[in-house]
Amino acid sequence: MNPDGTVTLGGVGLVATVGLPALGALLLALFPARADRAARITGTAFAAATLVVAALLAVGANTGSGGWFGYRPQTAGPPGIRPWHDLDLTWVPGLDLRFHLGVDGVSYPLVVLTALLTLLCCGYTLWRVPTPGRGRTLVALLLVVEVGILGTFLALDLVLFFLFFEVVLLPMYAIIAIWGGEGPEMPRRYPPYGSPVRDRARHAARKFALYTLFGSVLLLVGVLTVTTAAGTADLVTLTGGGGLSRGTQLAAFILLAIAFAVKSPLWPLHSWLPDAHTQAPTVGSVILAGVLLKMGTYGLIRVAVGVAPEGARWAAPVLGILAVAAIIVGSLVCLAQSELKRLIAYSSVGHMGFVLLGIATLTATGIQAALIGNIAHGVITGLLFFLAGAIKDRTHTGALTELGGLRESTPRLAGLLGFAAIASLGLPGLAGFWGEAFAVVAAWQRGGPLWTTLAVLAAFGGALTAAYLLRLLRRVSHGPASPAVLTLTPGLSGAELAAWAPLVLLALAIGLAPTLVLGVAETPVGILLEAIR
């Protein structure tokens, strides 16, 4: 229902997209412990239904009101954006807060990716539940995380955006602290609390929570700064500056940019990420890298740049420098890593640096590079963490020195790892190429000594990316089989193939047909840039 009392099918779809995983999580809480597998099947069914509803949000998007996106009339105030579908209900009348959800070409690919990865992770638990078990609780927490991430991508009210943004904190903390530890599924005998293994998992969870809380405080202050000055929390109205003074926009952008940098995470606020990834269970790492990090970069585009464009223009050179620093530093650290999951975690710092570089250019090419880079990173890194979990589960080690010769004993697994690594380094024809290549192109097109230098350094960082991923393949796949690898069986389970195949196909599809992402984002990105000029 909208303010005029009408109910649209798109609005129902938006509510269902957020409501189905929430309902599934609540329902799983009613299952007794002895019905653990039935609960996991039920949770997976809710995740599947959420994916179907999320995918159907594109139906009816092109309504003839300007394509995927349209302007509000100039007489309605500052230029804003009108989503494909939206739901705008009174929420807290006394504070003029509204329950406003909407989807557009910027958020839609992220919504579908979130629903897909959650389904794959819930389905994965049907085959293997990390120690100490309690699979129904794990699946319920994954669904709650999904609610928070989907709500963040769909919220068109700043206060609602903030609330959804915070929903993910406690369930992800629990996933890392309870199911995390050495190896993807822990040793067969679960270490007691107080053991070094358990302490490392809890330490990583606490570090994740503390960094996230720090960012949350800054985000809350930034949201209050904007809403108090503008007299509204509606993102449609606020896009383009919403009448905010230059000083307010500068202050708001600084607060919002740091908050989103923590979540992404962007260098130098990234130190929580390697520990969280190393200690998290496989499904936790996939969700964390695949979509949770994208909340930060999405917020940077939608909220920070959209609401405070003066601040974005002022800070663009600094963001560009930090982005290139992240690319170089992340790549150099990866070259020195000796642990599989930690290397993949640090690679995210560099890949997110390319996303930030695209955003910092404030050009259509750069923003689109950031958007497709987000999706490509979610697909490829999600696949890499699935594969890393499978390797560690079989060998009970993640040390690169103990994983040599993987192709000799498990050629299929080694082949999939090679495919994911090649996709991650940006080989043309695979998903990783477009975002990184066009982020460099956008910086070069921006022109001037600073941006030209940043483009050259970013291109050098791309070469370093190829170097550490090829080093990874040489250490893990090639050479004589190590003792940890020698006894492995060559087969892959059906559950593993079912979880990995969609990501392999997406990496190919996006690489060969980038219009799957760029086609829906082209018009909204152009309109966003016109609105913030």
Side-chain angles (χ1 to χ4, degrees):
M1 183 178 292
N2 289 308
D4 59 3
T6 60
V7 178
T8 65
L9 189 59
V12 173
L14 291 169
V15 172
T17 301
V18 177
L20 280 173
L23 180 61
L26 290 174
L27 186 60
L28 262 57
L30 302 178
F31 277 76
R34 64 179 180 275
D36 188 83
R37 180 167 179 80
R40 283 181 276 139
I41 293 173
T42 302
T44 303
F46 272 93
T50 303
L51 175 59
V52 171
V53 174
L56 290 175
L57 289 175
V59 175
N62 194 346
T63 61
S65 58
W68 294 105
F69 239 74
Y71 285 112
R72 290 198 183 280
Q74 290 294 333
T75 56
I81 45 181
R82 182 169 58 226
W84 305 343
H85 309 291
D86 70 339
L87 178 77
D88 190 4
L89 303 175
T90 300
W91 182 26
V92 184
L95 298 176
D96 193 27
L97 299 180
R98 308 193 66 81
F99 188 81
H100 193 182
L101 301 177
V103 65
D104 54 56
V106 173
S107 60
Y108 177 74
L110 290 168
V111 169
V112 174
L113 179 63
T114 301
L116 173 64
L117 288 181
T118 304
L119 172 61
L120 297 181
C121 288
C122 289
Y124 198 76
T125 65
L126 297 177
W127 175 66
R128 183 180 298 279
V129 178
T131 308
R134 291 184 283 176
R136 67 188 177 95
T137 305
L138 175 59
V139 172
L141 290 174
L142 289 173
L143 292 175
V144 175
V145 171
E146 182 181 25
V147 172
I149 298 174
L150 289 173
T152 299
F153 295 148
L154 295 175
L156 291 180
D157 180 276
L158 265 182
V159 176
L160 186 64
F161 175 93
F162 171 78
L163 293 178
F164 277 123
F165 199 87
E166 298 309 305
V167 165
V168 302
L169 172 57
L170 291 179
M172 185 54 70
Y173 170 87
I175 289 171
I176 298 171
I178 297 174
W179 288 274
E182 291 296 319
E185 315 302 341
M186 300 285 292
R188 295 298 179 192
R189 185 173 181 180
Y190 189 63
Y193 281 92
S195 70
V197 171
R198 297 302 311 135
D199 285 344
R200 283 193 288 272
R202 288 185 293 164
H203 171 74
R206 285 195 300 268
K207 196 171 183 180
F208 163 77
L210 289 174
Y211 268 80
T212 302
L213 284 173
F214 167 69
S216 299
V217 171
L218 295 179
L219 178 59
L220 178 59
V221 176
V223 167
L224 292 176
T225 299
V226 171
T227 55
T228 301
T232 181
D234 185 54
L235 273 172
V236 174
T237 303
L238 289 170
T239 298
L244 298 175
S245 67
R246 175 179 170 80
T248 301
Q249 290 193 41
L250 295 183
F253 185 84
I254 292 171
L255 292 166
L256 295 170
I258 296 175
F260 295 134
V262 172
K263 182 71 76 175
S264 296
L266 301 173
W267 187 87
L269 301 172
H270 67 285
S271 62
W272 64 266
L273 181 68
D275 289 338
H277 272 312
T278 303
Q279 299 301 325
T282 298
V283 293
S285 292
V286 171
I287 292 295
L288 189 62
V291 285
L292 193 144
L293 304 186
K294 311 306 179 289
M295 296 167 65
T297 49
Y298 172 82
L300 196 59
I301 296 171
R302 174 72 83 205
V303 179
V305 173
V307 171
E310 289 284 344
R313 284 189 286 270
W314 170 76
V318 176
L319 294 179
I321 292 171
L322 291 176
V324 171
I327 295 168
I328 301 295
V329 172
S331 299
L332 292 176
V333 172
C334 284
L335 282 170
Q337 284 302 308
S338 59
E339 205 281 333
L340 181 59
K341 287 185 75 175
R342 204 167 183 86
L343 186 152
I344 299 171
Y346 271 112
S347 74
S348 293
V349 176
H351 290 306
M352 289 296 98
F354 281 103
V355 172
L356 177 60
L357 179 63
I359 297 171
T361 64
L362 298 178
T363 63
T365 301
I367 300 295
Q368 292 213 63
L371 293 175
I372 196 170
N374 265 339
I375 300 300
H377 178 264
V379 170
I380 296 169
T381 307
L383 177 60
L384 279 170
F385 274 115
F386 266 132
L387 296 171
I391 292 170
K392 293 186 73 174
D393 182 49
R394 286 164 166 78
T395 62
H396 304 290
T397 181
L400 300 184
T401 55
E402 300 176 20
L403 293 174
L406 190 67
R407 68 174 182 171
E408 300 296 330
S409 56
T410 57
R412 296 175 186 173
L413 185 58
L416 285 170
L417 179 65
F419 172 84
I422 294 299
S424 185
L425 64 81
L427 184 73
L430 296 176
F433 169 74
W434 300 103
E436 297 184 5
F438 283 99
V440 174
V441 169
W444 183 271
Q445 290 177 340
R446 182 75 188 266
L450 173 63
W451 290 102
T452 301
T453 302
L454 293 179
V456 172
L457 291 175
F460 175 69
L464 291 178
T465 301
Y468 71 71
L469 286 167
L470 292 175
R471 169 181 173 269
L472 166 67
L473 293 179
R474 181 179 64 83
R475 298 287 292 274
V476 175
S477 296
H478 297 270
S482 65
V485 171
L486 196 59
T487 58
L488 299 184
T489 57
L492 300 175
S493 73
E496 289 175 320
L497 292 175
W500 305 342
L503 301 180
V504 171
L505 293 176
L506 272 177
L508 281 169
I510 295 172
L512 296 174
T515 188
L516 292 172
V517 176
L518 300 179
V520 299
E522 181 180 1
T523 300
V525 166
I527 292 176
L528 171 65
L529 292 174
E530 186 165 340
I532 67 176
R533 288 195 180 106

